[in-house]
Short mmCIF file of all heavy atoms in Angstrom, two decimals:
data_model
loop_
_atom_site.label_atom_id
_atom_site.label_comp_id
_atom_site.label_asym_id
_atom_site.label_seq_id
_atom_site.Cartn_x
_atom_site.Cartn_y
_atom_site.Cartn_z
N SER A 2 -88.13 78.84 103.14
CA SER A 2 -88.75 77.85 102.25
C SER A 2 -87.76 76.73 101.96
O SER A 2 -86.57 76.92 101.96
CB SER A 2 -89.16 78.51 100.93
OG SER A 2 -88.01 78.77 100.15
N SER A 7 -83.41 66.20 100.55
CA SER A 7 -81.99 65.85 100.54
C SER A 7 -81.75 64.70 99.57
O SER A 7 -82.57 63.81 99.42
CB SER A 7 -81.54 65.48 101.94
OG SER A 7 -81.87 64.13 102.19
N GLY A 27 -59.78 87.79 91.07
CA GLY A 27 -59.70 87.36 92.46
C GLY A 27 -58.44 86.59 92.74
O GLY A 27 -58.08 86.35 93.88
N ARG A 144 -28.43 109.02 86.18
CA ARG A 144 -29.69 108.31 86.24
C ARG A 144 -29.60 107.17 85.24
O ARG A 144 -29.76 107.38 84.04
CB ARG A 144 -30.82 109.29 85.84
CG ARG A 144 -32.20 108.80 86.16
CD ARG A 144 -32.56 109.11 87.60
NE ARG A 144 -33.93 108.69 87.91
CZ ARG A 144 -34.18 107.68 88.74
NH1 ARG A 144 -33.19 107.01 89.30
NH2 ARG A 144 -35.43 107.38 89.01
N ASN A 269 -40.86 85.73 81.22
CA ASN A 269 -39.92 84.61 81.20
C ASN A 269 -39.11 84.54 79.92
O ASN A 269 -38.26 83.66 79.76
CB ASN A 269 -40.67 83.28 81.31
CG ASN A 269 -41.27 83.08 82.66
OD1 ASN A 269 -41.04 83.88 83.57
ND2 ASN A 269 -42.05 82.03 82.82
N ARG A 278 -37.29 75.11 76.34
CA ARG A 278 -38.14 74.04 76.85
C ARG A 278 -39.59 74.23 76.37
O ARG A 278 -40.25 73.29 75.93
CB ARG A 278 -38.10 74.00 78.38
CG ARG A 278 -38.92 72.88 78.96
CD ARG A 278 -38.40 72.44 80.32
NE ARG A 278 -39.20 71.38 80.89
CZ ARG A 278 -39.16 70.12 80.52
NH1 ARG A 278 -38.34 69.74 79.57
NH2 ARG A 278 -39.92 69.20 81.09
N ASP A 315 -42.12 77.37 54.60
CA ASP A 315 -43.53 77.06 54.33
C ASP A 315 -44.24 76.59 55.57
O ASP A 315 -45.42 76.88 55.79
CB ASP A 315 -43.61 75.94 53.30
CG ASP A 315 -43.75 76.50 51.91
OD1 ASP A 315 -44.00 77.72 51.78
OD2 ASP A 315 -43.60 75.73 50.95
N ASN A 363 -38.17 55.13 78.15
CA ASN A 363 -38.41 55.80 79.41
C ASN A 363 -37.32 55.58 80.44
O ASN A 363 -37.56 55.24 81.58
CB ASN A 363 -39.74 55.26 79.95
CG ASN A 363 -40.19 56.07 81.11
OD1 ASN A 363 -40.01 57.29 81.10
ND2 ASN A 363 -40.72 55.43 82.10
N ASP A 422 -41.51 63.10 80.92
CA ASP A 422 -42.18 63.88 81.96
C ASP A 422 -43.70 63.91 81.72
O ASP A 422 -44.37 64.84 82.11
CB ASP A 422 -41.60 65.30 81.96
CG ASP A 422 -41.93 66.05 83.24
OD1 ASP A 422 -42.52 65.45 84.15
OD2 ASP A 422 -41.60 67.24 83.31
N THR A 467 -42.08 33.25 80.70
CA THR A 467 -40.94 33.99 81.23
C THR A 467 -39.88 34.15 80.16
O THR A 467 -39.84 33.42 79.18
CB THR A 467 -40.33 33.25 82.43
OG1 THR A 467 -40.03 31.92 82.02
CG2 THR A 467 -41.29 33.24 83.58
N THR A 575 -38.07 54.24 61.88
CA THR A 575 -38.26 54.08 63.32
C THR A 575 -37.94 52.66 63.77
O THR A 575 -38.06 52.35 64.95
CB THR A 575 -39.73 54.34 63.67
OG1 THR A 575 -40.53 53.45 62.89
CG2 THR A 575 -40.11 55.76 63.38
N PRO A 689 -39.88 79.20 48.81
CA PRO A 689 -40.39 77.87 48.44
C PRO A 689 -41.43 77.94 47.33
O PRO A 689 -42.32 78.80 47.34
CB PRO A 689 -41.03 77.36 49.73
CG PRO A 689 -40.47 78.19 50.82
CD PRO A 689 -40.11 79.49 50.23
N SER A 695 -50.00 65.10 37.84
CA SER A 695 -50.87 63.99 38.23
C SER A 695 -50.28 62.63 37.81
O SER A 695 -50.56 61.63 38.46
CB SER A 695 -52.26 64.18 37.62
OG SER A 695 -52.16 64.25 36.23
N SER A 702 -40.53 62.15 31.17
CA SER A 702 -39.79 63.10 32.01
C SER A 702 -40.64 64.32 32.35
O SER A 702 -41.56 64.67 31.63
CB SER A 702 -38.55 63.60 31.27
OG SER A 702 -37.71 62.52 30.97
N GLU A 707 -37.92 77.60 36.83
CA GLU A 707 -38.40 78.75 37.60
C GLU A 707 -37.35 79.84 37.54
O GLU A 707 -36.14 79.56 37.55
CB GLU A 707 -38.59 78.35 39.08
CG GLU A 707 -39.83 77.54 39.34
CD GLU A 707 -41.10 78.39 39.41
OE1 GLU A 707 -41.02 79.59 39.79
OE2 GLU A 707 -42.17 77.86 39.07
N MET B 1 -47.26 62.23 30.35
CA MET B 1 -47.03 63.25 31.40
C MET B 1 -48.08 64.35 31.32
O MET B 1 -48.39 64.84 30.26
CB MET B 1 -45.64 63.87 31.15
CG MET B 1 -45.20 64.79 32.25
SD MET B 1 -43.92 65.94 31.63
CE MET B 1 -44.79 67.49 31.74
N SER B 2 -48.62 64.72 32.39
CA SER B 2 -49.58 65.83 32.37
C SER B 2 -49.19 66.84 33.45
O SER B 2 -48.65 66.50 34.48
CB SER B 2 -51.00 65.32 32.62
OG SER B 2 -51.14 64.99 33.97
N SER B 7 -46.92 76.77 38.78
CA SER B 7 -46.18 76.91 40.02
C SER B 7 -46.75 78.06 40.85
O SER B 7 -47.20 79.06 40.34
CB SER B 7 -44.70 77.16 39.72
OG SER B 7 -44.50 78.50 39.41
N ARG B 9 -46.64 80.26 44.81
CA ARG B 9 -45.66 80.66 45.82
C ARG B 9 -45.83 79.94 47.14
O ARG B 9 -44.91 79.38 47.65
CB ARG B 9 -45.70 82.18 45.99
CG ARG B 9 -44.73 82.80 44.97
CD ARG B 9 -43.91 83.81 45.63
NE ARG B 9 -42.54 83.77 45.16
CZ ARG B 9 -41.70 84.77 45.35
NH1 ARG B 9 -42.10 85.85 45.96
NH2 ARG B 9 -40.46 84.68 44.95
N ALA B 11 -46.73 76.94 49.45
CA ALA B 11 -46.71 75.52 49.11
C ALA B 11 -47.58 74.66 50.00
O ALA B 11 -47.40 73.46 50.05
CB ALA B 11 -45.27 75.03 49.14
N GLY B 27 -46.33 52.79 62.18
CA GLY B 27 -45.03 53.10 61.59
C GLY B 27 -44.07 53.68 62.60
O GLY B 27 -42.88 53.78 62.35
N ARG B 144 -38.00 27.97 89.98
CA ARG B 144 -38.47 28.83 88.90
C ARG B 144 -39.14 30.02 89.57
O ARG B 144 -40.28 29.94 90.02
CB ARG B 144 -39.48 28.03 88.06
CG ARG B 144 -39.83 28.67 86.74
CD ARG B 144 -38.78 28.34 85.70
NE ARG B 144 -39.12 28.95 84.40
CZ ARG B 144 -38.37 29.90 83.85
NH1 ARG B 144 -37.30 30.34 84.45
NH2 ARG B 144 -38.71 30.39 82.68
N ASN B 269 -45.22 52.99 83.60
CA ASN B 269 -44.63 53.98 84.51
C ASN B 269 -45.32 54.04 85.86
O ASN B 269 -44.92 54.81 86.72
CB ASN B 269 -44.73 55.38 83.90
CG ASN B 269 -43.84 55.55 82.71
OD1 ASN B 269 -43.05 54.67 82.38
ND2 ASN B 269 -43.95 56.69 82.05
N ARG B 278 -46.22 63.39 89.96
CA ARG B 278 -46.05 64.52 89.04
C ARG B 278 -47.19 64.56 88.04
O ARG B 278 -47.77 65.61 87.75
CB ARG B 278 -44.70 64.43 88.32
CG ARG B 278 -44.46 65.60 87.39
CD ARG B 278 -42.99 65.86 87.18
NE ARG B 278 -42.74 66.96 86.28
CZ ARG B 278 -42.88 68.24 86.59
NH1 ARG B 278 -43.26 68.57 87.80
NH2 ARG B 278 -42.64 69.19 85.71
N ASN B 363 -42.39 83.07 89.82
CA ASN B 363 -41.52 82.35 88.91
C ASN B 363 -40.06 82.33 89.34
O ASN B 363 -39.16 82.62 88.57
CB ASN B 363 -41.65 83.03 87.54
CG ASN B 363 -40.97 82.20 86.49
OD1 ASN B 363 -41.01 80.98 86.55
ND2 ASN B 363 -40.33 82.87 85.57
N ASP B 422 -42.72 75.46 84.92
CA ASP B 422 -42.27 74.70 83.76
C ASP B 422 -43.23 74.87 82.58
O ASP B 422 -43.36 73.99 81.74
CB ASP B 422 -42.17 73.21 84.15
CG ASP B 422 -41.31 72.43 83.18
OD1 ASP B 422 -40.74 73.05 82.27
OD2 ASP B 422 -41.25 71.21 83.32
N THR B 467 -39.17 105.11 86.85
CA THR B 467 -38.25 104.17 87.50
C THR B 467 -38.67 103.94 88.95
O THR B 467 -39.38 104.74 89.55
CB THR B 467 -36.81 104.72 87.50
OG1 THR B 467 -36.84 106.04 88.06
CG2 THR B 467 -36.28 104.78 86.09
N THR B 575 -56.18 85.29 98.22
CA THR B 575 -55.02 85.37 97.34
C THR B 575 -54.29 86.69 97.49
O THR B 575 -53.29 86.93 96.82
CB THR B 575 -55.47 85.27 95.88
OG1 THR B 575 -56.42 86.33 95.65
CG2 THR B 575 -56.12 83.95 95.59
N SER B 695 -84.15 78.17 99.29
CA SER B 695 -84.10 79.36 98.45
C SER B 695 -83.98 80.66 99.26
O SER B 695 -83.43 81.63 98.77
CB SER B 695 -85.33 79.43 97.53
OG SER B 695 -86.49 79.43 98.33
N GLU B 707 -80.78 64.27 109.25
CA GLU B 707 -80.51 63.13 108.36
C GLU B 707 -80.20 61.91 109.22
O GLU B 707 -79.54 62.03 110.26
CB GLU B 707 -79.28 63.42 107.47
CG GLU B 707 -79.53 64.37 106.33
CD GLU B 707 -80.23 63.70 105.15
OE1 GLU B 707 -80.04 62.48 104.95
OE2 GLU B 707 -80.97 64.41 104.43
#
Side-chain angles (χ1 to χ4, degrees):
Chain A
S2 74
S7 83
R144 193 84 178 111
N269 291 354
R278 182 154 179 76
D315 266 348
N363 191 37
D422 197 5
T467 54
T575 57
S695 58
S702 299
E707 283 281 332
Chain B
M1 188 202 114
S2 74
S7 81
R9 272 226 140 163
R144 193 83 179 115
N269 291 354
R278 182 154 179 75
N363 190 37
D422 198 4
T467 53
T575 57
S695 58
E707 284 281 331

